[in-house]
Amino acid sequence: MRGAVQTIRPMTVLLAMIPTGMPVLGAESPSPRAGETIAQYEERLLDEALAVAHVETAEIISSKTTATSPPEGFAGRVNDALADFLPFFQGAINGISTSDDDKSITLRFNPLRWKSGETAFGATLTEPQVFQPVLDAVVAPAREEQRQLLLDQVDDWGDLTVTGTYGYLRRAETWESPQLHILWGRDYAVYRPLVDSLLVSALESMPPEVDAMRQAAERAFVAAKVKTSRAAKGTSCDRTSFDELVLACLESILSSEDYQALLQGLARKAEARTALYSTVRDWNLAGGLPDLIDNQPQLTAKLSYVNRDAFVGPDSYALSISYELGFRNFNSVIRQYRWLKRNAKDSPAATAFQAFRDVMSEGDALGENKLVFGMTYNRVRAYALSYAYVETVTDPGTGTQTQFPRSADVDLPTSSELTGRVQWGRFLGRSKAGEPVPRLDVAAEYLNVSDDSERLDRFVVRATYTHPISTTVSFPITVSYANHGDLPGEQDRVLGAHVGLSYKFNRQDEGSDR
Amino acid sequence: MKCRGTWVLEEGERFEIQVTEVADVVSYSGRLLVTDWEGLDTSPPPKAYTREQLERGVKTSMESGMTYNFDVVVIPKKGKEAIVHTILRFDSETALDEDCSRTADKPLCEWEITRT
């Protein structure tokens, strides 16, 4: 049978010659390929239905105007060394990450969870660099040589930052819980029970017409498949190739009407599947829910200690407190749900899913309107180093080398700084048909420096308007004002402007839809 | 990585679908749509299943003339690819035991069990 299939493959051109009493497929539906089985053709139609349904979502995501953010850091060499001892701490380690620039590596430990929050611990190893004031104290001709010699004396652990972060959490287990008011924190686990039941209420809200369409398509497909089975000649109908079906038509084993009905059934099934994909896409659960959780109010306190080798710099510690809030968040869904419950009473429309849809349909839902407050106190310990080295000088006339004993001395007092920061940003307008929209970001920072003669107290405010030209190109325009320069002697009241060009590289989705 | 599939079973055969979390999942939920394509339409109403029920496994017995469409919606963490693991067992064998990776724009896993 298989050999016969191969010999008649050229006959697949006859597919087009079968008399048509009705349209075989929609104008955009592909035709069966030579040698393709019913099951393979069905898979291909469904793949294409999926691709069509998701192209709009992908366009919306790719067209978003993004703000520039600094990369994290990590070192591959240290990564390999850490991998050797990681198995001993497997139960305690939550993750390990390295940065694109290969300069640092971060180890995260499993957080300790409390009823009102969780505490996470981490350690970051940064590639050691010689402390700049030490290098500056070395005479210029010997600087590069001494930098290498000093680095040789520093091991990979010469710049270690240990951090502990506490995040406040407030949770509720059910939508009917008395604790369901304002929830705090962005740990997905906090929202899981609520998201679980919201998802179920979403699936229970599937439009009946979508189900009816799927069921009707399935009935039409199965009915046509049963009639086609007489051409299957003993093999499973799904494994019958279209070549065999055409041959069956030519041999009058299968009528052209039944053949057409099979194609029609397959096309209807793909259309019904497209309707399902479109419905799920319109719900935007998979994109919207994580966004809403990511906008939840978050209060964190972070304590960090930096331990440095003598040649790398002074030890320091920092305490920072931050509060972040996205104005459209999961709490908006909770508020809307409570409002629905109050006003719709026992109406079946008062569901968590309906509350989610109401929130997502509001104009501001996609604005990513966010506010951040942050305050950091950083204290750098006193630093004293006297480094003896030898400078080798070559006489250009005779070529004779002479060595001079020298000393690089650095003595810095303890210093501290207090930084306050406010940031706000949002998209201006709503994207229509995947078009990018402008974005405005404003940040103000106040720096109070103590015991550091090299730096000044400083207030800086910066506003960036990012105007998209296309989905990949945008113009960021930044205006900034500072009441002082960063260093003593620099000009006061500095007003600056910067215009740039930003290009976003689009990554094609190469993965399979299946 | 397999996120969609169709199987043909004999009448009376039992099947069980079990979905568990592997990585970067916020939540997931499933829905069973049954189509009666033989004779009078006696399709039962669709039924939604919670994550906990899917973790335990959903068991169904194959009836004559029915197609069972089991759709699972997966919510990934922001900017991540969620991975769930699906096991599909029949009376006599394990037909599927694979991970499936889903993103925010492709959140559905689709399993179809039919009888022809």
Side-chain angles (χ1 to χ4, degrees):
Chain A
M1 189 65 198
R2 194 157 189 78
V5 171
Q6 286 167 354
T7 55
I8 62 163
R9 275 190 180 167
M11 292 173 70
T12 49
V13 293
L14 293 172
L15 285 166
M17 297 168 61
I18 293 172
T20 51
M22 55 183 169
V24 173
L25 294 168
E28 293 166 6
S29 297
S31 299
R33 291 175 183 154
E36 197 168 39
T37 65
I38 293 175
Q40 287 166 344
Y41 180 56
E42 183 186 359
E43 280 293 299
R44 188 158 63 84
L45 283 184
L46 293 182
D47 274 345
E48 292 183 13
L50 182 66
V52 169
H54 291 301
V55 72
E56 191 182 327
T57 313
E59 279 173 4
I60 289 168
I61 291 170
S62 70
S63 69
K64 273 197 169 182
T65 312
T66 52
T68 311
S69 57
E72 290 182 68
F74 80 83
R77 182 180 71 249
V78 184
N79 193 10
D80 292 342
L82 282 172
D84 293 338
F85 83 91
L86 278 183
F88 300 107
F89 297 96
Q90 208 167 24
I93 288 173
N94 180 267
I96 185 165
S97 63
T98 49
S99 70
D100 293 340
D101 63 2
D102 220 22
K103 296 288 185 192
S104 68
I105 180 164
T106 299
L107 196 63
R108 291 185 307 278
F109 296 91
N110 286 330
L112 301 174
R113 298 178 197 279
W114 324 97
K115 192 179 177 185
S116 60
E118 61 183 36
T119 308
F121 297 96
T124 299
L125 280 172
T126 305
E127 185 177 359
Q129 301 290 333
V130 178
F131 191 36
Q132 193 59 42
V134 174
L135 280 183
D136 292 344
V138 174
V139 293
R143 198 167 287 158
E144 183 53 28
E145 181 192 2
Q146 292 305 317
R147 191 183 71 82
Q148 287 296 342
L149 287 171
L150 289 171
L151 274 183
D152 288 346
Q153 297 179 52
V154 179
D155 62 21
D156 287 337
W157 300 78
D159 192 340
L160 171 67
T161 305
V162 181
T163 57
T165 307
Y166 170 77
Y168 173 61
L169 295 177
R170 189 164 191 274
R171 64 187 86 213
E173 294 301 320
T174 70
W175 286 94
E176 313 309 325
S177 163
Q179 280 85 39
L180 190 72
H181 291 286
I182 302 296
L183 306 187
W184 283 74
R186 294 175 183 177
D187 184 346
Y188 291 111
V190 168
Y191 302 91
R192 175 164 260 197
L194 300 178
V195 171
D196 283 352
S197 54
L198 189 152
L199 264 185
V200 170
S201 78
L203 291 178
E204 285 170 346
S205 309
M206 180 69 72
E209 57 270 22
V210 174
D211 285 342
M213 193 177 174
R214 292 177 74 186
Q215 289 174 319
E218 181 65 17
R219 282 186 206 106
F221 173 60
V222 172
K225 215 160 60 162
V226 168
K227 287 180 181 170
T228 311
S229 61
R230 72 183 75 133
K233 295 180 180 174
T235 60
S236 162
C237 190
D238 292 313
R239 291 185 203 142
T240 309
S241 76
F242 281 90
D243 291 336
E244 291 168 290
L245 295 179
V246 170
L247 189 62
C249 285
L250 293 174
E251 291 172 350
S252 300
I253 299 170
L254 182 69
S255 73
S256 61
E257 287 79 12
D258 289 342
Y259 176 83
Q260 299 277 357
L262 177 72
L263 292 180
Q264 186 74 10
L266 283 162
R268 284 181 68 181
K269 213 170 159 181
E271 282 170 21
R273 196 56 66 95
T274 305
L276 171 69
Y277 296 149
S278 298
T279 304
V280 173
R281 185 199 68 207
D282 291 344
W283 286 349
N284 195 19
L285 288 162
L289 282 169
D291 267 352
L292 292 173
I293 293 171
D294 200 53
N295 278 347
Q296 278 292 87
Q298 176 170 262
L299 182 64
T300 58
K302 180 176 172 183
L303 185 64
S304 63
Y305 181 76
V306 185
N307 185 275
R308 296 189 178 96
D309 186 276
F311 297 129
V312 176
D315 294 350
S316 65
Y317 57 89
L319 173 66
S320 62
I321 296 170
S322 77
Y323 170 75
E324 295 182 26
L325 173 72
F327 288 96
R328 188 69 54 199
N329 54 33
F330 201 85
N331 285 337
S332 310
V333 180
I334 292 171
R335 277 194 294 273
Q336 179 64 12
Y337 175 72
R338 292 167 66 85
W339 184 88
L340 285 174
K341 278 296 204 191
R342 271 199 310 273
N343 293 281
K345 303 250 181 239
D346 298 326
S347 162
T351 64
F353 175 57
Q354 186 55 50
F356 167 79
R357 297 216 74 190
D358 291 348
V359 168
M360 293 303 288
S361 66
E362 288 171 15
D364 201 33
L366 302 172
E368 296 193 8
N369 192 352
K370 288 188 179 183
L371 184 66
V372 179
F373 290 100
M375 189 169 278
T376 302
Y377 175 75
N378 188 36
R379 191 165 177 84
V380 182
R381 291 182 135 174
Y383 180 83
L385 180 77
S386 183
Y387 170 60
Y389 64 99
V390 174
E391 181 193 7
T392 305
V393 178
T394 306
D395 186 325
T398 61
T400 314
Q401 286 193 329
T402 312
Q403 292 189 324
F404 295 96
R406 296 196 184 278
S407 175
D409 299 315
V410 178
D411 192 359
L412 299 172
T414 298
S415 66
S416 62
E417 65 177 42
L418 181 67
T419 311
R421 179 171 53 98
V422 182
Q423 275 179 283
W424 170 81
R426 66 158 300 155
F427 286 103
L428 303 174
R430 197 171 186 189
S431 177
K432 287 175 186 167
E435 288 179 6
V437 290
R439 183 179 170 85
L440 180 64
D441 293 278
V442 180
E445 190 173 79
Y446 178 70
L447 177 70
N448 186 305
V449 182
S450 303
D451 307 320
D452 188 344
S453 58
E454 300 292 317
R455 303 174 69 198
L456 288 175
D457 294 354
R458 196 166 182 242
F459 171 72
V460 182
V461 61
R462 188 179 293 114
T464 301
Y465 171 77
T466 307
H467 187 80
I469 304 300
S470 69
T471 54
T472 53
V473 180
S474 58
F475 273 118
I477 302 165
T478 302
V479 178
S480 62
Y481 169 80
N483 66 337
H484 292 298
D486 192 29
L487 302 173
E490 289 185 358
Q491 183 189 339
D492 286 348
R493 293 180 192 156
V494 183
L495 183 66
H498 176 263
V499 179
L501 178 68
S502 170
Y503 186 83
K504 184 165 58 175
F505 291 95
N506 262 349
R507 254 186 54 200
Q508 292 294 322
D509 184 6
E510 294 168 358
S512 164
D513 285 337
R514 298 175 60 198
Chain B
M1 292 275 179
K2 190 173 171 70
C3 301
R4 190 173 77 216
T6 303
W7 290 268
V8 178
L9 291 193
E10 295 296 323
E11 183 184 344
E13 208 169 345
R14 289 180 64 80
F15 65 89
E16 178 184 5
I17 288 181
Q18 189 177 18
V19 185
T20 49
E21 171 185 344
V22 177
D24 295 323
V25 175
V26 176
S27 181
Y28 54 92
S29 185
R31 184 171 186 269
L32 183 64
L33 175 71
V34 184
T35 304
D36 179 0
W37 42 259
E38 201 173 54
L40 294 172
D41 182 2
T42 57
S43 307
K47 189 173 179 192
Y49 294 91
T50 62
R51 181 178 52 83
E52 288 88 346
Q53 287 172 311
L54 292 176
E55 279 174 351
R56 286 195 297 269
V58 175
K59 291 177 185 166
T60 310
S61 184
M62 194 76 199
E63 287 186 39
S64 174
M66 297 280 189
T67 294
Y68 299 80
N69 283 100
F70 204 92
D71 304 315
V72 178
V73 177
V74 182
I75 309 293
K77 289 181 181 175
K78 190 177 169 76
K80 303 269 187 171
E81 275 193 20
I83 301 175
V84 292
H85 189 88
T86 308
I87 298 175
L88 178 61
R89 291 189 196 92
F90 301 147
D91 277 347
S92 50
E93 60 174 320
T94 297
L96 177 74
D97 191 350
E98 280 198 49
D99 283 347
C100 163
S101 166
R102 297 284 77 181
T103 53
D105 61 332
K106 292 169 188 163
L108 270 175
C109 301
E110 304 154 75
W111 313 113
E112 182 178 283
I113 297 109
T114 188
R115 187 191 165 278
T116 50

